Amino acid sequence: MTQPPDQPSRPSEDPLGKPADPQNPQVAPPPGHSAPQQQPPAPPAQPPAPPAPPAGGFGAPQQPPGAGFGAPPAGYGPPQPGQPGQPGAFGQPGQPGQPGPPGPYGQPGPYAAGPYGQPGQPQAGPYAPQPGWGHPGPEAPGGYPQGAPGPYAGVPQPPAATGSRNPFRTRPALAFGAVAVAAALLIGGGAWALTGSDDSPEEKAGPQPTQEASPEPSVSVDQGDGNGGGGKEIDINGERAPGEDRVAWYKGAPDSPKGGASAPGMWVVGDVAVKAAYKQVFGWKAANGDEAWKPVTFPAEICAVTRRTTDDGRIAVAYKSGTSSRAKCNRVQELDLRTGERGWEIEIGEGGLFDGTSELSLSLAGDSLVVGRSQSAVGYDMKTGKKRYDIVKYGASCFPSGFAGDAQRLIVAASCAAATDKAHDELRELDPATGKVRWTVPLNKGWEVEKVYSVTPLVVQGVNRDKEQGDISVFDAGGKTRSQVGLDGKTELDFRCSGMSILNKALESCDFVVDDKNMYLATKAVTGPNEIVAVGLDTGKEQWRVKSPADSSMHPLAVENGRLVAYVGATYDQGGQVVAVPTAGSHEPQKLLRHPAAGAPLENGFLGGDVAWSGGRLFLSVDRLTGSDDLEEKLMMAFAK
């Protein structure tokens, strides 16, 4: 199954990219009632307008027509397409990575890593939506350059096929603003674009058989102790309509500080569903929400977790050294999610000047745990907690800045020659058991490694912040460029990312579904249904696309038995769905779960949090606690037949 990310909650944004005030949230009126209108004060008397300047002279420039989803306000529209065949991120496709020196790299030195932006503010209460599917995110600033160069120099361009629905005819670079880049890193959203035609037929869901809803016990909204008992009662299952499936269980959040706390990660291991929140990790039986083991409580707030589990269900949890604002994120504990038992525990030392443990990243690679600091990392044996190797400065002042791993591979992003005219990023693969370098690929000037969406196959997003461009590339096992996805302003993509990181890159913080042929990318729709696009790994071209069967967005979760499983988000008055889309044939969505409308306000409040699909059940959870004393806080929810 695809593991969910750890994601910070994000506020809704207005059309000008101005974050909503969490203290004064805007509440949608009940159905059938319009929002009250406020009359503005009369404007003061204005002097006569000056005569209009002649066309083509020194007057204001004419507004060009908008692209994509209509003409947006000036400065906030979707990015414009670039031109291919100019220098970009990784060089020509097929160019192999350069083998690097074996073994550890030397000693770290000073390097000031700057912040990428500010995290969003969470909403309070069990019904407050976390903006995600169906919620507009922050728009990029205006002034997108025309003729933006692609990130890969010398990429051969396929001819445009007449009448084709292929969105990647010229494979231009993706352009977007620096604000959007910061949003992608810090508040977990991103809008990118790929070419698409407007004449494609809409995919429609076929008729679905209905079934009589059996009586179920009411679902209780806990009063914040995380144990599922007590609290306000909401009779969701008792009010189900025929054909609707049930809420299997619901959990309220534990108490947290007034300023809020993190709730990173969600895992389903066998028949146990696990959630971290503030200082605790909870384990419940996936089927009914009963306690699987006693909550594991740490001395201070949890500050990092591994995104994946080992094959036998273990993770690593980092927690702070204390409760003060100067506390370090430097204690790491092994935890068995099947039993709730603690394993080894280690303390992470400081790496040197500008290389501290104010925050850590934790990545599983092979049977190693890679603990990332600001400019270095340490590899440990995940079974014993014993140190294996260091990942530190190498070459021309190259400092490791981000890490991603899977069962076979370890990928590292490095920042080199910072604050000089030779500044650049490099992408490299290391042996996860020894730390030895397998290959290195330098990025062209101005380009950075932003995300590693998948490790096997390796799918990487690069960005050029100065030129407001981006690119998604696929690499083979030797570091050669296998394909690249050129994107423009016709259709925006919506990546579900998380990971509030200031001092290092949160490379592996995005939901991403891929099989042996395609990657599955959700498009962004501000309102109404979106689409999922299947993009070929070998070609970077669209293979097919399918429209959401409801008036809300859907996002891919996993590929099972030749079908793409996707979650269709809830609206305030309509429950969500889980659908299966055949990856061959008609691609018509088939309902797996239909969530009850009575629980829609509660389900809608989890938008933007963690999502997991396992054993025919859908699990939702928040990734940030607000610390509100006024409203109870939701933590986790499960749906089943």
Side-chain angles (χ1 to χ4, degrees):
M1 59 167 277
T2 302
Q3 294 293 334
D6 42 8
Q7 303 170 334
S9 56
R10 302 179 291 282
S12 296
E13 305 280 342
D14 70 12
L16 298 182
K18 184 178 181 181
D21 184 355
Q23 303 301 325
N24 298 283
Q26 300 297 316
V27 180
H33 298 270
S34 61
Q37 302 297 319
Q38 183 176 359
Q39 298 298 328
Q46 299 294 326
F58 296 97
Q62 300 300 310
Q63 175 69 22
F69 294 101
Y76 294 90
Q80 303 303 315
Q83 298 297 325
Q86 297 189 26
F90 293 100
Q92 297 181 1
Q95 180 179 349
Q98 301 299 318
Y105 308 129
Q107 299 304 316
Y111 171 66
Y116 291 91
Q118 299 300 322
Q121 299 298 320
Q123 304 278 350
Y127 296 100
Q130 300 183 32
W133 302 297
H135 292 262
E139 296 289 354
Y144 297 101
Q146 299 290 334
Y152 302 95
V155 178
Q157 305 304 324
T162 304
S164 170
R165 295 181 59 245
N166 169 24
F168 311 109
R169 293 171 183 164
T170 59
R171 301 166 74 176
L174 162 67
F176 56 94
V179 171
V181 177
L185 179 63
L186 286 175
I187 59 177
W192 294 274
L194 63 137
T195 311
S197 63
D198 297 327
D199 56 359
S200 59
E202 294 184 356
E203 298 284 353
K204 297 181 179 179
Q208 299 295 328
T210 59
Q211 62 183 34
E212 293 296 323
S214 57
E216 294 288 346
S218 59
V219 174
S220 138
V221 178
D222 298 344
Q223 195 61 44
D225 59 1
N227 63 14
K232 178 182 177 182
E233 190 136 305
I234 301 175
D235 194 10
I236 295 175
N237 288 329
E239 298 180 9
R240 286 187 298 154
E244 290 184 339
D245 296 306
R246 64 190 175 91
V247 176
W249 47 271
Y250 168 88
K251 300 295 177 182
D255 291 335
S256 61
K258 188 174 182 179
S262 63
M266 179 174 67
W267 309 265
V268 183
V269 178
D271 60 352
V272 180
V274 181
K275 178 63 186 171
Y278 186 32
K279 296 180 180 180
Q280 296 177 290
V281 179
F282 301 91
W284 299 290
K285 294 181 180 178
N288 55 23
D290 290 347
E291 188 177 83
W293 31 262
K294 294 295 182 182
V296 177
T297 302
F298 293 88
E301 182 176 358
I302 294 170
C303 50
V305 296
T306 51
R307 176 179 169 84
R308 298 187 303 107
T309 70
T310 62
D311 291 340
D312 55 357
R314 292 174 295 120
I315 64 169
V317 177
Y319 64 93
K320 294 184 177 181
S321 59
T323 58
S324 74
S325 60
R326 296 184 178 182
K328 303 294 185 178
C329 180
N330 62 0
R331 308 303 204 266
V332 179
Q333 174 108 60
E334 179 198 26
L335 184 63
D336 190 331
L337 301 187
R338 299 167 303 176
T339 63
E341 295 179 356
R342 303 172 192 249
W344 51 260
E345 183 171 5
I346 55 177
E347 180 174 345
I348 308 299
E350 301 293 292
L353 186 63
F354 304 118
D355 189 26
T357 56
S358 296
E359 61 181 46
L360 294 180
S361 66
L362 301 178
S363 300
L364 289 175
D367 60 356
S368 293
L369 171 68
V370 178
V371 180
R373 289 182 292 244
S374 304
Q375 299 176 23
S376 66
V378 183
Y380 296 91
D381 187 323
M382 185 59 189
K383 294 181 180 179
T384 64
K386 294 182 178 180
K387 181 178 175 178
R388 286 181 162 178
Y389 51 84
D390 291 298
I391 305 174
V392 293
K393 173 189 172 184
Y394 68 94
S397 299
C398 294
F399 294 89
S401 57
F403 311 89
D406 66 6
Q408 294 86 31
R409 307 175 73 182
L410 170 59
I411 302 299
V412 178
S415 298
C416 302
T420 73
D421 58 359
K422 296 183 179 181
H424 67 282
D425 268 19
E426 292 186 357
L427 184 72
R428 50 178 26 196
E429 180 180 354
L430 309 185
D431 184 328
T434 64
K436 293 183 178 180
V437 180
R438 290 176 174 171
W439 52 258
T440 299
V441 174
L443 279 69
N444 287 332
K445 182 178 176 61
W447 287 85
E448 303 174 28
V449 178
E450 179 74 0
K451 296 291 180 186
V452 173
Y453 290 129
S454 168
V455 174
T456 305
L458 181 57
V459 182
V460 179
Q461 178 202 340
V463 298
N464 189 317
R465 301 179 195 277
D466 292 336
K467 296 182 178 180
E468 298 175 345
Q469 299 171 6
D471 175 84
I472 299 173
S473 300
V474 183
F475 295 85
D476 67 13
K480 297 179 182 178
T481 305
R482 178 176 170 187
S483 68
Q484 66 182 80
V485 181
L487 309 177
D488 69 11
K490 291 279 183 89
T491 303
E492 292 182 274
L493 297 179
D494 187 14
F495 289 95
R496 299 298 307 148
C497 298
S498 69
M500 188 173 64
S501 178
I502 301 296
L503 300 178
N504 53 37
K505 296 177 183 288
L507 292 186
E508 52 181 5
S509 60
C510 299
D511 278 340
F512 197 79
V513 177
V514 63
D515 58 20
D516 58 346
K517 295 181 179 179
N518 298 318
M519 63 181 88
Y520 299 93
L521 309 177
T523 67
K524 181 181 180 182
V526 175
T527 59
N530 72 335
E531 295 177 306
I532 291 178
V533 183
V535 177
L537 294 172
D538 288 330
T539 65
K541 297 180 180 180
E542 176 184 341
Q543 305 301 303
W544 51 267
R545 64 171 61 200
V546 60
K547 187 176 180 179
S548 172
D551 195 30
S552 60
S553 293
M554 67 176 176
H555 279 249
L557 297 176
V559 176
E560 295 180 349
N561 302 318
R563 301 189 300 176
L564 173 67
V565 179
Y567 172 52
V568 181
T571 63
Y572 196 80
D573 58 357
Q574 293 293 323
Q577 305 175 36
V578 179
V579 298
V581 180
T583 58
S586 68
H587 312 303
E588 183 174 318
Q590 305 161 0
K591 285 188 178 68
L592 299 180
L593 290 178
R594 179 186 169 195
H595 303 167
L602 184 61
E603 180 183 357
N604 182 256
F606 284 92
L607 291 179
D610 297 337
V611 186
W613 170 256
S614 179
R617 304 181 186 94
L618 183 80
F619 301 88
L620 304 176
S621 70
V622 301
D623 48 30
R624 180 78 187 169
L625 306 181
T626 68
S628 172
D629 292 330
D630 298 329
L631 294 171
E632 67 182 44
E633 288 199 67
K634 57 192 175 295
L635 181 63
M636 193 167 175
M637 192 176 192
F639 297 87
K641 283 288 187 183

